[in-house]
Amino acid sequence: MIKSPIIGKQKKFTFPLSFAFTFEKGEHKGESYQGHLDICSNPICTCKGVRFAITDIDKDRIGNPESEIKYKFSIDILEKKIEEGKEYKLSAVNKNFAKSFINELSKENWQDFQTVYYSYKAHITENCDLQELDPVFPEYEIEQKELMVFYDEIFPYTADIAFQNGNIEFIVEDQYCLNPDCSCKNTVLTIVPIIDGKSLAGPQAAAVRYDYITKKWELEKDFTGRFSRSLDLNEIMAELHKSIPDIAATVKKRHRNLRLLYQNYKKKKNIDTDDVSKRKIGRNEPCPCGSGKKYKICCGR
């Protein structure tokens, strides 16, 4: 079991993050090691793998991941299993050790790893260089069908916009227009009630079009069911502004971020499309624009 106080006791982490542990059962019972974990630093990547490098405990070099690595493996901290694929093969020795390591972990250990994972991902989401990111957008739907993009579709680890009104908690889901021909200054906020820990999305929620310059809003669709009789949307929006005074600045920044990423995406796609004309691409090959479609039904039309 991992007993190091460094795990789950802080909000900011320096990686690789080191911890000490001793096996209490199994073939490694009584053996002590240092673990050094690392996490993917891409804020838009949704892999759940946490990489572990295991070394002997060196009292003179505690926390030093450069000590000789004895075992190396990756664990999906949500599925709680060894992560392995075509590009990441484990030796039998590493795999057996990883199995012993997983069997040793307590419920609290798993929670600690998940805390570290999500805290780190949220931190890099807020502090990333947008120019280094390479998300893919549904261009046709955005520009031809007026599709709005949810912020957490691009940044899955962004911090929730959450507040409470009376005994009811709310999560706010924000989506934005990215059409280059549109200069709107608003967002659609879907206000989702949380009752007994369950999200009542869909027809139970309300959606408002919120102008982040004037801070005015108008209803997109009303509450239905019992919420239409028990909740006052004017009161809820007033509580949102009271609980999160910088809500307008927050959604304005998010809109700006998504627009910049979409502009960069289109620029890159145009460059890649130009490159296509300079080399022969098979019609059934994946389109180099990154759409996921075959070249013949995308840029090769």
Side-chain angles (χ1 to χ4, degrees):
M1 180 181 294
I2 298 171
K3 299 181 179 180
S4 172
I6 194 171
I7 301 293
K9 299 297 183 180
Q10 57 196 67
K11 295 182 179 181
K12 293 183 179 180
F13 306 94
T14 300
F15 288 87
L17 184 65
S18 299
F19 57 94
F21 67 98
T22 300
F23 282 99
E24 297 181 348
K25 58 187 177 182
E27 62 179 295
H28 295 281
K29 183 177 180 180
E31 297 176 6
S32 297
Y33 297 92
Q34 282 189 87
H36 312 278
L37 68 86
D38 205 358
I39 297 171
C40 170
S41 60
N42 185 344
I44 65 176
C45 176
T46 57
C47 68
K48 299 298 188 297
V50 174
R51 299 181 295 272
F52 292 85
I54 307 299
T55 65
D56 286 323
I57 290 182
D58 186 340
K59 295 181 180 180
D60 296 324
R61 306 175 70 183
I62 292 294
N64 183 2
E66 299 303 321
S67 299
E68 184 178 354
I69 296 175
K70 298 195 67 174
Y71 305 100
K72 201 171 184 179
F73 51 87
S74 180
I75 293 176
D76 183 318
I77 50 91
L78 290 189
E79 297 293 331
K80 300 181 181 180
K81 64 180 183 180
I82 299 171
E83 189 176 61
E84 190 175 16
K86 293 182 179 179
E87 298 180 357
Y88 188 74
K89 287 290 185 180
L90 287 179
S91 67
V93 172
N94 282 323
K95 184 178 291 187
N96 288 335
F97 188 91
K99 289 180 180 178
S100 297
F101 181 80
I102 287 176
N103 290 334
E104 192 75 20
L105 296 179
S106 65
K107 179 180 179 180
E108 291 74 19
N109 293 152
W110 286 113
Q111 290 175 342
D112 284 341
F113 286 139
Q114 291 168 6
T115 296
V116 172
Y117 177 86
Y118 286 111
S119 296
Y120 177 66
K121 283 290 193 176
H123 173 73
I124 60 175
T125 295
E126 292 300 317
N127 297 277
C128 66
D129 183 349
L130 297 178
Q131 300 292 347
E132 295 182 355
L133 303 182
D134 192 25
V136 175
F137 291 89
E139 182 179 354
Y140 175 78
E141 287 77 6
I142 288 173
E143 299 189 16
Q144 302 298 322
K145 296 188 176 181
E146 300 182 348
L147 175 73
M148 301 186 78
V149 177
F150 283 96
Y151 194 74
D152 62 6
E153 286 181 324
I154 305 301
F155 292 100
Y157 302 101
T158 191
D160 287 334
I161 299 176
F163 68 101
Q164 186 164 336
N165 183 51
N167 296 323
I168 301 178
E169 296 181 0
F170 294 90
I171 295 293
V172 179
E173 300 174 346
D174 48 328
Q175 54 183 312
Y176 303 88
C177 166
L178 302 183
N179 192 326
D181 295 329
C182 179
S183 59
C184 66
K185 306 295 182 184
N186 55 58
T187 174
V188 171
L189 303 178
T190 304
I191 304 171
V192 182
I194 308 296
I195 305 295
D196 296 328
K198 295 182 179 180
S199 172
L200 301 183
Q204 298 282 24
V208 300
R209 188 169 294 272
Y210 178 76
D211 187 315
Y212 50 72
I213 301 299
T214 65
K215 299 183 181 181
K216 295 181 180 180
W217 58 273
E218 60 183 16
L219 189 65
E220 287 276 300
K221 62 178 181 179
D222 203 354
F223 283 108
T224 59
R226 63 191 180 92
F227 288 100
S228 63
R229 301 188 295 272
S230 61
L231 295 180
D232 183 340
L233 194 53
N234 288 291
E235 178 184 326
I236 291 172
M237 288 302 294
E239 186 60 43
L240 170 62
H241 282 100
K242 179 181 177 181
S243 301
I244 311 175
D246 62 346
I247 181 64
T250 296
V251 296
K252 179 181 179 180
K253 178 182 178 182
R254 289 185 172 191
H255 200 177
R256 184 174 65 247
N257 289 349
L258 290 184
R259 277 180 165 157
L260 176 60
L261 287 175
Y262 187 58
Q263 290 171 5
N264 290 344
Y265 164 77
K266 291 200 65 175
K267 288 179 183 177
K268 181 179 183 299
K269 180 177 179 181
N270 289 337
I271 291 173
D272 288 345
T273 303
D274 290 341
D275 289 342
V276 168
S277 64
K278 300 176 184 179
R279 60 187 177 87
K280 185 174 179 61
I281 303 294
R283 288 177 53 75
N284 289 315
E285 291 182 27
C287 187
C289 76
S291 66
K293 300 178 182 178
K294 291 184 178 180
Y295 175 56
K296 66 182 180 182
I297 60 174
C298 192
C299 298
R301 287 180 175 179

